[in-house]
Amino acid sequence: LSPRAAMEEEVLCAVNANTFEDSAVFARDRGLDHNAVVGVLNRLAAFEFVNLAPIQNNSWELTDEAQHYVTVGTPEAQVFNAIPEEGIAMADLQGKVDTGVAKIGFAQGMQQKWFRVDKTQGSRVYRKVESIVDTVREMLLELQRANGAFEALNKANTDLLKRRQLIRAVSLTSFKVSKGPKFAMTLKKEATDLTAEMIASDSWKEETFKGYNFNARGLQPPSGYLHPLLKVKAAFREIFLEMGFEEMPTNNYVESSFWNFDALFQPQAHPARDLHDTFFLSDPAAATQIPEDYMACVKEVHEVGGYGSIGYRCAWKEEEARKNIMRTHTTAVSARMLRKLAQNGFQPAKYFSIDRVFRNETLDATHLAEFHQIEGVACDRGICLRDLLGLMATFFEKMGMPKLRFKPAYNPYTEPSMEIFAWHSGLNKWIEVGNSGMFRPEMLRPMGLPEDVHVLGWGLSLERPTMILYEIKNMRALFGHRVDINMIRENPICRLEY
Protein backbone atom coordinates (compact mmCIF):
# COMPACT_ATOMS: atom_id res chain seq x y z
CA LEU A 1 0.00 0.00 0.00
CA SER A 2 1.05 3.58 -0.59
CA PRO A 3 1.56 5.75 2.52
CA ARG A 4 -1.72 7.54 1.80
CA ALA A 5 -3.64 4.28 1.35
CA ALA A 6 -2.13 2.87 4.55
CA MET A 7 -3.15 6.01 6.48
CA GLU A 8 -6.64 5.79 4.98
CA GLU A 9 -6.97 2.17 6.15
CA GLU A 10 -5.74 3.08 9.64
CA VAL A 11 -8.27 5.91 9.88
CA LEU A 12 -11.16 3.65 8.80
CA CYS A 13 -10.16 1.03 11.38
CA ALA A 14 -10.16 3.67 14.16
CA VAL A 15 -13.53 5.03 13.04
CA ASN A 16 -14.99 1.49 12.86
CA ALA A 17 -13.82 0.88 16.43
CA ASN A 18 -15.41 4.16 17.55
CA THR A 19 -12.09 5.33 19.02
CA PHE A 20 -11.48 8.38 16.80
CA GLU A 21 -12.15 11.20 19.27
CA ASP A 22 -9.59 13.76 18.09
CA SER A 23 -7.58 13.84 14.87
CA ALA A 24 -4.74 15.72 16.59
CA VAL A 25 -4.41 12.97 19.25
CA PHE A 26 -4.70 10.31 16.55
CA ALA A 27 -1.87 11.87 14.55
CA ARG A 28 0.36 12.45 17.59
CA ASP A 29 -0.05 8.91 18.98
CA ARG A 30 0.89 7.37 15.62
CA GLY A 31 3.64 9.84 14.68
CA LEU A 32 1.70 11.11 11.66
CA ASP A 33 1.52 14.58 10.19
CA HIS A 34 -1.80 16.10 11.26
CA ASN A 35 -2.26 17.96 7.96
CA ALA A 36 -1.90 14.66 6.08
CA VAL A 37 -4.50 13.06 8.37
CA VAL A 38 -6.90 15.97 7.78
CA GLY A 39 -6.40 15.55 4.03
CA VAL A 40 -7.47 11.88 4.29
CA LEU A 41 -10.45 12.81 6.48
CA ASN A 42 -11.65 15.45 4.00
CA ARG A 43 -11.46 12.91 1.18
CA LEU A 44 -13.47 10.34 3.17
CA ALA A 45 -15.98 13.03 4.15
CA ALA A 46 -16.46 13.94 0.47
CA PHE A 47 -17.54 10.33 -0.16
CA GLU A 48 -19.78 10.48 2.97
CA PHE A 49 -17.74 7.72 4.63
CA VAL A 50 -17.25 9.83 7.76
CA ASN A 51 -18.77 12.81 9.54
CA LEU A 52 -16.42 15.50 10.85
CA ALA A 53 -17.06 17.70 13.88
CA PRO A 54 -14.45 20.46 14.32
CA ILE A 55 -12.61 20.83 17.62
CA GLN A 56 -10.76 24.05 18.43
CA ASN A 57 -7.52 23.31 20.32
CA ASN A 58 -5.55 26.15 21.94
CA SER A 59 -2.12 25.35 23.31
CA TRP A 60 1.39 26.66 23.96
CA GLU A 61 4.18 25.98 21.50
CA LEU A 62 7.90 26.16 22.34
CA THR A 63 9.89 28.59 20.24
CA ASP A 64 13.12 27.45 18.53
CA GLU A 65 15.09 29.16 21.29
CA ALA A 66 13.13 27.28 23.98
CA GLN A 67 13.66 23.94 22.24
CA HIS A 68 17.39 24.64 22.22
CA TYR A 69 17.29 25.40 25.98
CA VAL A 70 15.51 22.08 26.59
CA THR A 71 18.54 20.35 25.07
CA VAL A 72 21.49 22.34 26.49
CA GLY A 73 19.95 24.24 29.41
CA THR A 74 19.00 27.88 29.88
CA PRO A 75 21.62 30.64 29.55
CA GLU A 76 21.77 31.17 33.34
CA ALA A 77 22.42 27.45 33.89
CA GLN A 78 25.10 27.44 31.20
CA VAL A 79 26.82 30.44 32.80
CA PHE A 80 26.62 28.86 36.30
CA ASN A 81 28.19 25.62 35.02
CA ALA A 82 30.97 27.63 33.34
CA ILE A 83 32.04 29.22 36.67
CA PRO A 84 34.56 27.07 38.60
CA GLU A 85 34.63 27.00 42.43
CA GLU A 86 37.62 29.34 42.53
CA GLY A 87 35.79 31.88 40.37
CA ILE A 88 36.65 33.25 36.95
CA ALA A 89 37.43 36.62 35.41
CA MET A 90 34.54 38.19 33.54
CA ALA A 91 36.53 38.33 30.31
CA ASP A 92 37.39 34.62 30.59
CA LEU A 93 33.76 33.74 31.35
CA GLN A 94 32.61 35.44 28.17
CA GLY A 95 35.13 33.35 26.28
CA LYS A 96 33.74 30.05 27.66
CA VAL A 97 30.12 30.66 26.50
CA ASP A 98 28.63 32.53 23.55
CA THR A 99 28.45 36.29 23.94
CA GLY A 100 24.63 36.36 23.67
CA VAL A 101 24.28 33.48 26.14
CA ALA A 102 26.72 35.11 28.58
CA LYS A 103 24.81 38.41 28.53
CA ILE A 104 21.35 36.84 29.09
CA GLY A 105 22.62 34.17 31.50
CA PHE A 106 24.59 36.59 33.68
CA ALA A 107 21.59 38.96 34.01
CA GLN A 108 19.19 36.11 34.87
CA GLY A 109 21.66 34.46 37.27
CA MET A 110 22.32 37.70 39.13
CA GLN A 111 18.56 38.22 39.42
CA GLN A 112 18.22 34.77 41.01
CA LYS A 113 21.33 35.39 43.20
CA TRP A 114 23.24 32.40 41.82
CA PHE A 115 26.62 34.24 41.61
CA ARG A 116 28.38 37.39 42.72
CA VAL A 117 30.99 39.75 41.29
CA ASP A 118 34.09 40.79 43.26
CA LYS A 119 35.19 44.10 41.77
CA THR A 120 38.21 44.34 44.09
CA GLN A 121 39.75 41.50 42.08
CA GLY A 122 39.06 43.05 38.73
CA SER A 123 35.47 41.91 38.17
CA ARG A 124 35.91 38.28 39.11
CA VAL A 125 32.75 36.15 39.16
CA TYR A 126 32.09 33.52 41.88
CA ARG A 127 29.30 31.06 42.53
CA LYS A 128 27.02 32.21 45.33
CA VAL A 129 25.25 28.83 45.76
CA GLU A 130 26.62 25.31 45.56
CA SER A 131 24.00 23.94 43.17
CA ILE A 132 21.02 25.12 41.19
CA VAL A 133 17.81 23.81 39.71
CA ASP A 134 17.20 25.01 36.16
CA THR A 135 13.55 25.85 36.83
CA VAL A 136 12.89 27.46 33.44
CA ARG A 137 14.09 24.31 31.64
CA GLU A 138 11.92 22.20 33.95
CA MET A 139 8.91 24.36 33.03
CA LEU A 140 9.63 23.89 29.34
CA LEU A 141 9.97 20.12 29.80
CA GLU A 142 6.70 19.99 31.73
CA LEU A 143 4.93 21.94 29.00
CA GLN A 144 6.43 19.64 26.37
CA ARG A 145 5.22 16.53 28.22
CA ALA A 146 1.72 18.02 28.49
CA ASN A 147 1.67 18.71 24.70
CA GLY A 148 1.43 22.45 25.34
CA ALA A 149 -1.78 22.27 27.39
CA PHE A 150 -2.77 25.64 28.81
CA GLU A 151 -3.40 24.14 32.26
CA ALA A 152 0.09 22.57 32.48
CA LEU A 153 1.58 25.71 34.13
CA ASN A 154 0.24 28.29 36.53
CA LYS A 155 -0.22 31.90 35.45
CA ALA A 156 3.02 33.15 37.04
CA ASN A 157 5.17 30.56 35.25
CA THR A 158 3.29 31.09 31.98
CA ASP A 159 3.85 34.86 32.19
CA LEU A 160 7.55 34.27 32.86
CA LEU A 161 7.97 32.12 29.75
CA LYS A 162 5.95 34.54 27.64
CA ARG A 163 8.02 37.49 28.88
CA ARG A 164 11.21 35.69 27.87
CA GLN A 165 9.60 34.86 24.50
CA LEU A 166 10.08 31.12 24.98
CA ILE A 167 6.47 30.12 24.21
CA ARG A 168 3.73 31.30 21.87
CA ALA A 169 0.01 30.53 21.71
CA VAL A 170 -1.14 28.40 18.77
CA SER A 171 -4.63 27.45 17.63
CA LEU A 172 -5.21 24.10 15.92
CA THR A 173 -8.46 22.88 14.40
CA SER A 174 -8.82 19.11 14.72
CA PHE A 175 -11.83 16.86 14.19
CA LYS A 176 -13.91 14.33 16.02
CA VAL A 177 -14.71 11.60 13.53
CA SER A 178 -17.77 9.32 13.36
CA LYS A 179 -19.24 6.97 10.77
CA GLY A 180 -21.00 8.57 7.81
CA PRO A 181 -24.08 7.32 5.92
CA LYS A 182 -21.95 5.49 3.31
CA PHE A 183 -19.28 4.17 5.73
CA ALA A 184 -17.37 1.09 4.57
CA MET A 185 -13.98 -0.42 5.33
CA THR A 186 -12.82 -0.02 1.74
CA LEU A 187 -13.08 3.07 -0.43
CA LYS A 188 -14.06 2.36 -3.99
CA LYS A 189 -13.51 5.18 -6.41
CA GLU A 190 -16.77 6.47 -7.85
CA ALA A 191 -17.08 6.54 -11.62
CA THR A 192 -17.43 9.98 -13.16
CA ASP A 193 -18.42 8.96 -16.71
CA LEU A 194 -20.72 6.38 -18.25
CA THR A 195 -18.59 4.73 -20.94
CA ALA A 196 -19.49 2.60 -23.96
CA GLU A 197 -17.67 -0.35 -22.39
CA MET A 198 -19.84 -0.12 -19.23
CA ILE A 199 -23.01 -0.20 -21.35
CA ALA A 200 -21.79 -3.09 -23.52
CA SER A 201 -20.75 -5.23 -20.54
CA ASP A 202 -23.59 -4.17 -18.21
CA SER A 203 -20.93 -3.30 -15.62
CA TRP A 204 -22.61 0.08 -15.08
CA LYS A 205 -25.22 -1.72 -12.98
CA GLU A 206 -22.60 -2.45 -10.32
CA GLU A 207 -20.80 0.88 -10.54
CA THR A 208 -21.16 3.72 -8.06
CA PHE A 209 -21.34 7.02 -9.92
CA LYS A 210 -20.21 10.33 -8.53
CA GLY A 211 -23.07 12.79 -8.20
CA TYR A 212 -23.11 15.93 -10.32
CA ASN A 213 -22.48 19.26 -8.67
CA PHE A 214 -24.73 21.57 -10.63
CA ASN A 215 -23.46 24.58 -8.65
CA ALA A 216 -19.86 24.11 -9.84
CA ARG A 217 -18.71 26.89 -12.15
CA GLY A 218 -16.68 24.61 -14.39
CA LEU A 219 -13.73 25.59 -16.55
CA GLN A 220 -13.55 29.15 -17.80
CA PRO A 221 -13.80 28.94 -21.61
CA PRO A 222 -11.06 30.71 -23.53
CA SER A 223 -12.15 34.10 -24.79
CA GLY A 224 -10.84 37.33 -26.18
CA TYR A 225 -9.94 40.39 -24.13
CA LEU A 226 -10.50 44.07 -24.79
CA HIS A 227 -7.33 46.07 -25.35
CA PRO A 228 -6.96 49.17 -23.12
CA LEU A 229 -7.20 51.36 -26.23
CA LEU A 230 -10.57 49.81 -27.09
CA LYS A 231 -11.85 50.40 -23.56
CA VAL A 232 -10.83 54.06 -23.57
CA LYS A 233 -12.14 54.45 -27.13
CA ALA A 234 -15.53 53.11 -26.01
CA ALA A 235 -15.56 55.60 -23.11
CA PHE A 236 -14.81 58.56 -25.43
CA ARG A 237 -17.40 57.35 -27.94
CA GLU A 238 -20.00 57.28 -25.16
CA ILE A 239 -19.18 60.91 -24.27
CA PHE A 240 -19.67 62.06 -27.87
CA LEU A 241 -22.98 60.19 -28.19
CA GLU A 242 -24.22 61.68 -24.91
CA MET A 243 -23.48 65.14 -26.35
CA GLY A 244 -25.54 64.41 -29.48
CA PHE A 245 -22.67 63.86 -31.93
CA GLU A 246 -22.91 61.55 -34.96
CA GLU A 247 -20.04 59.18 -35.77
CA MET A 248 -18.34 59.66 -39.14
CA PRO A 249 -17.33 56.75 -41.41
CA THR A 250 -13.55 56.48 -41.10
CA ASN A 251 -12.81 53.25 -43.00
CA ASN A 252 -10.56 54.90 -45.63
CA TYR A 253 -7.00 54.60 -44.36
CA VAL A 254 -5.73 55.54 -47.84
CA GLU A 255 -6.57 59.11 -48.73
CA SER A 256 -5.69 61.48 -51.57
CA SER A 257 -3.49 64.47 -50.81
CA PHE A 258 -6.41 66.59 -52.03
CA TRP A 259 -8.76 65.63 -49.18
CA ASN A 260 -5.96 65.26 -46.61
CA PHE A 261 -4.24 68.59 -47.35
CA ASP A 262 -5.59 70.76 -50.20
CA ALA A 263 -9.26 70.74 -49.15
CA LEU A 264 -8.10 71.93 -45.72
CA PHE A 265 -6.32 74.96 -47.25
CA GLN A 266 -2.94 73.47 -46.41
CA PRO A 267 -0.33 74.74 -48.93
CA GLN A 268 1.38 72.27 -51.24
CA ALA A 269 4.75 73.54 -50.01
CA HIS A 270 3.89 72.80 -46.36
CA PRO A 271 6.59 70.70 -44.56
CA ALA A 272 3.94 68.19 -43.37
CA ARG A 273 3.57 67.07 -47.01
CA ASP A 274 7.22 65.99 -47.27
CA LEU A 275 8.35 62.36 -47.43
CA HIS A 276 9.85 62.54 -43.95
CA ASP A 277 6.39 63.29 -42.45
CA THR A 278 3.97 61.38 -44.69
CA PHE A 279 3.69 57.86 -46.13
CA PHE A 280 3.09 58.00 -49.91
CA LEU A 281 1.66 55.05 -51.85
CA SER A 282 3.43 53.71 -54.93
CA ASP A 283 0.51 51.61 -56.20
CA PRO A 284 -1.96 53.12 -56.84
CA ALA A 285 0.06 56.30 -56.74
CA ALA A 286 -2.70 58.70 -57.80
CA ALA A 287 -6.38 59.20 -56.96
CA THR A 288 -8.87 59.33 -59.83
CA GLN A 289 -12.15 60.26 -58.15
CA ILE A 290 -11.99 63.92 -57.10
CA PRO A 291 -14.91 66.28 -57.90
CA GLU A 292 -13.65 68.48 -60.74
CA ASP A 293 -15.76 71.54 -59.87
CA TYR A 294 -14.74 71.42 -56.24
CA MET A 295 -11.08 70.88 -57.16
CA ALA A 296 -11.22 74.01 -59.36
CA CYS A 297 -12.57 76.08 -56.44
CA VAL A 298 -9.83 74.77 -54.15
CA LYS A 299 -7.18 75.55 -56.77
CA GLU A 300 -8.45 79.12 -57.12
CA VAL A 301 -8.47 79.86 -53.39
CA HIS A 302 -4.92 78.45 -53.06
CA GLU A 303 -3.51 80.49 -55.99
CA VAL A 304 -5.36 83.82 -55.83
CA GLY A 305 -7.40 83.66 -52.63
CA GLY A 306 -10.98 84.68 -51.97
CA TYR A 307 -13.44 85.16 -49.10
CA GLY A 308 -11.18 87.85 -47.63
CA SER A 309 -7.93 85.95 -48.30
CA ILE A 310 -5.14 86.50 -50.82
CA GLY A 311 -4.32 82.78 -50.94
CA TYR A 312 -0.77 81.44 -51.08
CA ARG A 313 0.18 83.22 -54.36
CA CYS A 314 1.88 80.15 -55.82
CA ALA A 315 1.11 77.62 -58.55
CA TRP A 316 -1.20 74.79 -57.45
CA LYS A 317 -0.43 71.43 -59.07
CA GLU A 318 -3.16 68.87 -59.70
CA GLU A 319 -0.70 65.95 -59.83
CA GLU A 320 0.44 66.86 -56.31
CA ALA A 321 -3.16 66.86 -55.08
CA ARG A 322 -3.85 63.43 -56.62
CA LYS A 323 -1.01 61.66 -54.80
CA ASN A 324 -2.30 58.85 -52.58
CA ILE A 325 -1.08 58.75 -48.99
CA MET A 326 -1.82 57.06 -45.70
CA ARG A 327 -4.02 59.68 -44.07
CA THR A 328 -2.16 61.82 -41.54
CA HIS A 329 -5.30 62.93 -39.65
CA THR A 330 -9.03 62.16 -39.55
CA THR A 331 -9.77 65.79 -40.47
CA ALA A 332 -9.75 64.51 -44.07
CA VAL A 333 -12.94 62.62 -43.17
CA SER A 334 -14.38 65.79 -41.62
CA ALA A 335 -13.70 67.63 -44.90
CA ARG A 336 -15.60 64.97 -46.88
CA MET A 337 -18.55 65.14 -44.46
CA LEU A 338 -18.70 68.95 -44.60
CA ARG A 339 -18.61 68.92 -48.43
CA LYS A 340 -21.44 66.35 -48.44
CA LEU A 341 -23.41 68.48 -45.96
CA ALA A 342 -23.05 71.51 -48.25
CA GLN A 343 -24.15 69.57 -51.34
CA ASN A 344 -27.25 68.05 -49.72
CA GLY A 345 -28.59 71.30 -48.31
CA PHE A 346 -27.03 72.56 -45.12
CA GLN A 347 -28.42 71.47 -41.77
CA PRO A 348 -26.67 72.01 -38.40
CA ALA A 349 -24.65 68.95 -37.47
CA LYS A 350 -22.19 67.58 -34.95
CA TYR A 351 -19.75 64.86 -36.02
CA PHE A 352 -17.02 62.86 -34.32
CA SER A 353 -14.48 60.22 -35.26
CA ILE A 354 -12.00 57.99 -33.40
CA ASP A 355 -9.71 56.09 -35.73
CA ARG A 356 -6.22 55.36 -36.90
CA VAL A 357 -3.86 57.79 -38.63
CA PHE A 358 -0.31 57.41 -39.97
CA ARG A 359 2.74 59.64 -39.87
CA ASN A 360 6.36 59.04 -40.77
CA GLU A 361 7.57 59.64 -37.19
CA THR A 362 10.78 58.58 -35.47
CA LEU A 363 9.66 55.89 -33.04
CA ASP A 364 10.28 56.55 -29.35
CA ALA A 365 8.51 56.20 -26.00
CA THR A 366 5.86 58.82 -26.86
CA HIS A 367 5.66 58.69 -30.69
CA LEU A 368 4.50 56.00 -33.10
CA ALA A 369 4.13 55.91 -36.88
CA GLU A 370 0.59 54.60 -36.40
CA PHE A 371 -1.75 55.96 -33.73
CA HIS A 372 -5.36 57.03 -33.11
CA GLN A 373 -6.91 60.49 -33.37
CA ILE A 374 -10.08 61.66 -31.61
CA GLU A 375 -11.87 64.50 -33.42
CA GLY A 376 -15.05 66.47 -32.81
CA VAL A 377 -16.66 68.87 -35.34
CA ALA A 378 -19.74 71.07 -34.87
CA CYS A 379 -21.25 73.30 -37.57
CA ASP A 380 -24.14 75.76 -37.37
CA ARG A 381 -25.10 79.27 -38.31
CA GLY A 382 -23.67 82.10 -36.22
CA ILE A 383 -21.65 80.02 -33.80
CA CYS A 384 -18.39 81.47 -32.52
CA LEU A 385 -15.30 80.85 -30.40
CA ARG A 386 -17.38 81.04 -27.21
CA ASP A 387 -19.43 78.04 -28.39
CA LEU A 388 -16.20 76.13 -29.03
CA LEU A 389 -15.01 76.86 -25.48
CA GLY A 390 -18.35 75.68 -24.08
CA LEU A 391 -18.27 72.43 -26.08
CA MET A 392 -14.73 71.66 -24.98
CA ALA A 393 -15.53 72.49 -21.35
CA THR A 394 -18.41 69.98 -21.42
CA PHE A 395 -16.41 67.37 -23.32
CA PHE A 396 -13.34 67.48 -21.10
CA GLU A 397 -15.39 67.69 -17.90
CA LYS A 398 -17.03 64.39 -18.89
CA MET A 399 -13.48 63.05 -19.28
CA GLY A 400 -12.75 64.08 -15.70
CA MET A 401 -10.78 67.22 -16.64
CA PRO A 402 -12.77 70.22 -15.35
CA LYS A 403 -9.83 72.65 -15.18
CA LEU A 404 -8.82 73.86 -18.67
CA ARG A 405 -6.53 76.50 -20.11
CA PHE A 406 -6.10 77.60 -23.72
CA LYS A 407 -3.06 78.90 -25.53
CA PRO A 408 -3.08 80.58 -28.97
CA ALA A 409 -1.59 78.38 -31.69
CA TYR A 410 -1.30 78.09 -35.49
CA ASN A 411 -3.01 75.58 -37.77
CA PRO A 412 -3.24 76.03 -41.57
CA TYR A 413 -6.98 75.32 -41.66
CA THR A 414 -8.23 76.94 -38.42
CA GLU A 415 -8.27 80.56 -37.28
CA PRO A 416 -8.30 81.25 -34.40
CA SER A 417 -6.48 78.13 -33.19
CA MET A 418 -5.84 77.05 -29.59
CA GLU A 419 -3.86 74.39 -27.77
CA ILE A 420 -5.80 72.83 -24.89
CA PHE A 421 -4.20 72.28 -21.47
CA ALA A 422 -5.76 70.43 -18.51
CA TRP A 423 -4.72 70.34 -14.87
CA HIS A 424 -3.42 66.89 -13.90
CA SER A 425 -3.84 66.48 -10.14
CA GLY A 426 -1.64 63.37 -10.08
CA LEU A 427 1.29 65.10 -11.80
CA ASN A 428 0.36 68.40 -10.12
CA LYS A 429 0.88 70.38 -13.33
CA TRP A 430 -0.81 71.53 -16.55
CA ILE A 431 -0.46 69.11 -19.47
CA GLU A 432 -1.34 69.53 -23.15
CA VAL A 433 -4.35 67.36 -24.07
CA GLY A 434 -5.41 68.54 -27.53
CA ASN A 435 -5.76 71.16 -30.25
CA SER A 436 -8.75 73.18 -31.42
CA GLY A 437 -9.95 76.02 -33.61
CA MET A 438 -12.54 77.41 -36.05
CA PHE A 439 -12.23 76.26 -39.67
CA ARG A 440 -11.13 79.00 -42.04
CA PRO A 441 -13.47 80.44 -44.72
CA GLU A 442 -10.87 79.43 -47.34
CA MET A 443 -11.68 75.81 -46.42
CA LEU A 444 -15.48 76.10 -45.97
CA ARG A 445 -16.66 78.40 -48.78
CA PRO A 446 -15.26 76.32 -51.71
CA MET A 447 -17.28 73.41 -50.31
CA GLY A 448 -20.46 75.42 -50.84
CA LEU A 449 -21.30 76.13 -47.18
CA PRO A 450 -23.22 79.44 -46.61
CA GLU A 451 -21.26 82.43 -45.39
CA ASP A 452 -22.98 82.55 -42.01
CA VAL A 453 -22.07 78.91 -41.27
CA HIS A 454 -19.11 78.42 -38.98
CA VAL A 455 -17.44 75.11 -38.08
CA LEU A 456 -15.77 74.36 -34.75
CA GLY A 457 -13.29 71.53 -34.29
CA TRP A 458 -10.98 69.97 -31.75
CA GLY A 459 -8.89 66.83 -31.54
CA LEU A 460 -6.57 64.80 -29.36
CA SER A 461 -4.83 61.45 -29.47
CA LEU A 462 -6.28 58.27 -27.97
CA GLU A 463 -2.94 56.87 -26.82
CA ARG A 464 -1.90 59.67 -24.46
CA PRO A 465 -4.99 59.62 -22.19
CA THR A 466 -4.83 55.81 -22.24
CA MET A 467 -1.21 55.93 -21.07
CA ILE A 468 -2.22 58.30 -18.25
CA LEU A 469 -5.21 56.20 -17.19
CA TYR A 470 -3.29 52.91 -17.17
CA GLU A 471 0.02 54.41 -15.99
CA ILE A 472 1.93 53.19 -19.07
CA LYS A 473 5.17 55.11 -19.62
CA ASN A 474 6.17 53.75 -23.06
CA MET A 475 3.65 53.97 -25.90
CA ARG A 476 5.31 50.97 -27.61
CA ALA A 477 4.17 48.81 -24.69
CA LEU A 478 0.58 49.86 -25.47
CA PHE A 479 0.43 49.54 -29.25
CA GLY A 480 2.49 47.42 -31.64
CA HIS A 481 4.48 44.17 -31.60
CA ARG A 482 5.93 44.78 -28.12
CA VAL A 483 2.55 44.60 -26.37
CA ASP A 484 2.43 42.15 -23.46
CA ILE A 485 -0.55 39.80 -23.92
CA ASN A 486 -0.88 39.41 -20.14
CA MET A 487 -1.33 43.19 -19.84
CA ILE A 488 -4.29 42.97 -22.22
CA ARG A 489 -5.80 40.08 -20.26
CA GLU A 490 -5.41 41.66 -16.83
CA ASN A 491 -6.01 45.40 -17.39
CA PRO A 492 -8.93 46.87 -15.40
CA ILE A 493 -12.08 48.58 -16.62
CA CYS A 494 -11.55 52.11 -17.95
CA ARG A 495 -12.84 54.84 -15.64
CA LEU A 496 -12.42 58.44 -16.77
CA GLU A 497 -11.39 59.91 -13.42
CA TYR A 498 -8.71 62.60 -13.28
Side-chain angles (χ1 to χ4, degrees):
L1 293 176
S2 66
R4 184 183 182 87
M7 186 186 300
E8 199 171 88
E9 182 178 323
E10 198 168 355
V11 167
L12 289 172
C13 289
V15 174
N16 189 50
N18 295 318
T19 59
F20 207 128
E21 295 296 322
D22 192 325
S23 60
V25 176
F26 176 88
R28 184 175 65 245
D29 292 347
R30 290 162 177 77
L32 301 173
D33 178 53
H34 184 251
N35 289 332
V37 172
V38 171
V40 169
L41 291 176
N42 285 332
R43 183 166 182 264
L44 294 174
F47 289 104
E48 299 184 28
F49 270 42
V50 297
N51 295 321
L52 303 180
I55 303 170
Q56 198 67 31
N57 298 295
N58 297 314
S59 60
W60 295 115
E61 181 182 70
L62 271 60
T63 63
D64 293 341
E65 183 183 359
Q67 291 174 3
H68 179 66
Y69 292 167
V70 168
T71 304
V72 302
T74 59
E76 54 266 35
Q78 293 181 52
V79 171
F80 183 85
N81 294 330
I83 300 173
E85 292 184 4
E86 66 276 10
I88 186 172
M90 181 66 77
D92 296 335
L93 176 62
Q94 291 176 348
K96 293 184 70 174
V97 293
D98 293 339
T99 304
V101 171
K103 184 177 180 180
I104 297 172
F106 185 78
Q108 292 292 334
M110 289 294 290
Q111 187 177 350
Q112 298 183 54
K113 300 180 180 179
W114 286 359
F115 27 80
R116 62 182 177 82
V117 180
D118 189 348
K119 294 186 178 181
T120 61
Q121 299 184 33
S123 295
R124 193 171 182 84
V125 184
Y126 293 90
R127 290 183 179 180
K128 198 172 182 179
V129 295
E130 293 184 2
S131 61
I132 62 168
V133 176
D134 194 350
T135 52
V136 172
R137 180 171 178 269
E138 294 299 323
M139 293 179 202
L140 295 173
L141 286 168
E142 179 64 27
L143 201 58
Q144 203 172 51
R145 287 191 291 268
N147 297 311
F150 272 22
E151 60 273 11
L153 299 175
N154 59 38
K155 186 178 184 305
N157 290 341
T158 301
D159 290 344
L160 172 64
L161 297 181
K162 284 169 61 179
R163 192 164 54 250
R164 293 187 62 172
Q165 298 182 356
L166 298 178
I167 58 172
R168 56 175 168 258
V170 293
S171 180
L172 174 69
T173 301
S174 59
F175 298 93
K176 181 179 180 179
V177 188
S178 58
K179 293 180 181 179
K182 296 182 180 179
F183 179 81
M185 288 301 295
T186 57
L187 177 60
K188 183 180 179 182
K189 187 176 181 181
E190 293 178 322
T192 55
D193 296 301
L194 179 64
T195 64
E197 291 79 7
M198 290 179 185
I199 296 173
S201 62
D202 283 340
S203 62
W204 63 271
K205 297 177 181 179
E206 299 176 1
E207 284 287 350
T208 302
F209 288 92
K210 185 176 181 181
Y212 279 98
N213 179 7
F214 291 101
N215 295 320
R217 296 184 63 184
L219 294 175
Q220 181 72 24
S223 61
Y225 299 86
L226 287 177
H227 191 283
L229 281 173
L230 293 179
K231 294 182 180 181
V232 179
K233 179 180 178 180
F236 278 119
R237 185 173 182 273
E238 190 66 28
I239 291 173
F240 276 115
L241 294 176
E242 286 177 0
M243 294 176 64
F245 281 71
E246 176 188 346
E247 189 165 10
M248 295 185 282
T250 55
N251 52 334
N252 286 343
Y253 289 168
V254 176
E255 190 59 90
S256 67
S257 293
F258 176 81
W259 287 107
N260 196 86
F261 296 121
D262 297 281
L264 306 182
F265 195 59
Q266 191 160 324
Q268 292 189 336
H270 195 281
R273 301 177 69 153
D274 291 343
L275 280 171
H276 66 270
D277 283 324
T278 304
F279 291 111
F280 288 85
L281 268 68
S282 58
D283 186 21
T288 58
Q289 297 181 352
I290 299 176
E292 294 292 338
D293 56 340
Y294 178 41
M295 184 165 58
C297 293
V298 170
K299 176 181 180 181
E300 182 180 353
V301 79
H302 273 254
E303 289 183 338
V304 300
Y307 320 107
S309 169
I310 63 172
Y312 291 114
R313 298 298 178 96
C314 60
W316 186 88
K317 300 177 182 178
E318 182 177 337
E319 60 271 20
E320 186 70 28
R322 290 189 178 274
K323 288 181 179 179
N324 280 330
I325 63 170
M326 301 296 289
R327 69 178 179 209
T328 63
H329 49 195
T330 53
T331 316
V333 182
S334 301
R336 286 180 178 271
M337 293 298 293
L338 292 172
R339 162 74 176 169
K340 183 179 178 181
L341 192 65
Q343 296 303 301
N344 294 340
F346 175 76
Q347 293 291 333
K350 292 188 287 187
Y351 299 121
F352 80 94
S353 64
I354 308 173
D355 212 338
R356 199 170 298 183
V357 296
F358 309 85
R359 293 181 189 174
N360 194 0
E361 299 270 11
T362 301
L363 306 186
D364 58 29
T366 57
H367 294 85
L368 294 176
E370 183 179 348
F371 57 97
H372 295 78
Q373 181 177 332
I374 303 168
E375 183 165 332
V377 174
C379 49
D380 200 353
R381 299 180 187 275
I383 56 177
C384 60
L385 185 65
R386 184 173 57 190
D387 299 291
L388 174 60
L389 295 174
L391 274 175
M392 288 190 294
T394 302
F395 176 79
F396 284 101
E397 185 173 7
K398 287 179 177 290
M399 284 177 57
M401 304 179 185
K403 295 182 180 180
L404 297 179
R405 278 183 179 176
F406 303 95
K407 175 184 174 183
Y410 167 76
N411 289 316
Y413 46 89
T414 59
E415 179 62 36
S417 305
M418 298 177 296
E419 291 176 347
I420 312 165
F421 292 82
W423 177 257
H424 193 298
S425 56
L427 299 176
N428 200 32
K429 66 177 183 179
W430 294 93
I431 61 168
E432 184 179 354
V433 292
N435 217 316
S436 64
M438 298 184 65
F439 288 141
R440 296 174 66 109
E442 297 95 323
M443 171 185 166
L444 302 179
R445 302 299 165 252
M447 293 178 175
L449 289 170
E451 289 189 6
D452 61 341
V453 170
H454 298 154
V455 180
L456 318 174
W458 74 95
L460 62 154
S461 77
L462 179 64
E463 281 77 6
R464 186 153 298 177
T466 304
M467 290 172 67
I468 294 172
L469 285 167
Y470 286 93
E471 297 182 351
I472 296 172
K473 295 182 179 179
N474 193 324
M475 192 181 293
R476 289 170 290 189
L478 179 67
F479 190 73
H481 66 282
R482 296 187 183 181
V483 171
D484 182 5
I485 299 298
N486 287 327
M487 181 272 291
I488 296 177
R489 288 175 178 166
E490 298 169 3
N491 65 80
I493 296 172
C494 167
R495 294 184 182 275
L496 294 178
E497 296 176 355
Y498 214 64

